[in-house]
Amino acid sequence: MKKTIALVLCLLMAVSLAACGGQAAAEESSAPTEQTETAEPTTEETTQPEESSAPAEDEPVETKPSFDTSWASNAFEKLIPQPPFEGWNGEKISENAYKMETSQANSDGSGTYYDTWAAYVQTLRDCGFTVQGDTYSAEGTDRNGNQVELQCGDGHAWITIYKA
């Protein structure tokens, strides 16, 4: 019985890790795995896509984010990786702007929230954002021109997101 439970738990962990693996794994698994050999080479594999499908040079190319957005409750929040800390409250302040804030950055009383916030700023960089500033106040821009302002101090944290 213990071996059965252990096997079921291992399978559940493997399935959950596969589900969190991102879309690259899903795209790979959707490719056909069985190939048939033919005597004649086919030209279907070497055809070029039509040029009309390419975006115009002046239009920004929207790409899917390289981070998990399942935590997000709206289109603004999907533009950034999940922020640290609990108790975030957000509100749309204009058609293209959204502000989030929390007063629970130092909820454990340890005072290490600046280190946690600095790690989040680095996460933005790792996800392709161009970030300038320091731990207390920083601004970032993603590949699509969306902007984010970050502030942290006195146990509070603020994030303002601007859609391009």
Side-chain angles (χ1 to χ4, degrees):
M1 184 69 176
K2 289 181 183 179
K3 289 181 181 180
T4 305
I5 292 172
L7 178 62
V8 170
L9 288 174
C10 288
L11 289 172
L12 285 173
M13 286 181 58
V15 169
S16 66
L17 288 173
C20 295
Q23 293 192 356
E27 292 172 6
E28 290 174 11
S29 65
S30 66
T33 57
E34 186 178 315
Q35 295 182 359
T36 58
E37 293 185 26
T38 58
E40 299 175 26
T42 61
T43 59
E44 292 177 28
E45 297 175 7
T46 60
T47 58
Q48 298 291 330
E50 294 181 21
E51 290 189 30
S52 63
S53 65
E57 288 182 25
D58 58 344
E59 293 180 21
V61 178
E62 290 202 24
T63 57
K64 291 186 178 182
S66 60
F67 47 84
D68 179 26
T69 60
S70 63
W71 68 275
S73 63
N74 60 54
F76 287 97
E77 292 175 354
K78 287 183 180 184
L79 297 174
I80 60 171
Q82 183 174 6
F85 316 128
E86 298 294 324
W88 287 97
N89 295 312
E91 72 175 287
K92 190 174 180 180
I93 55 177
S94 75
E95 193 63 31
N96 294 326
Y98 182 78
K99 186 168 188 163
M100 301 170 57
E101 62 180 295
T102 183
S103 61
Q104 298 181 22
N106 194 28
S107 62
D108 63 358
S110 68
T112 61
Y113 65 95
Y114 285 119
D115 295 334
T116 304
W117 193 247
Y120 181 69
V121 171
Q122 184 59 46
T123 298
L124 287 172
R125 288 185 180 105
D126 295 343
C127 291
F129 283 76
T130 303
V131 181
Q132 298 176 351
D134 56 25
T135 302
Y136 307 104
S137 180
E139 296 179 358
T141 306
D142 71 4
R143 292 178 191 100
N144 296 321
N146 300 303
Q147 297 178 342
V148 61
E149 292 178 357
L150 308 161
Q151 295 179 337
C152 184
D154 296 327
H156 292 74
W158 300 269
I159 299 174
T160 306
I161 304 165
Y162 301 96
K163 280 187 180 180

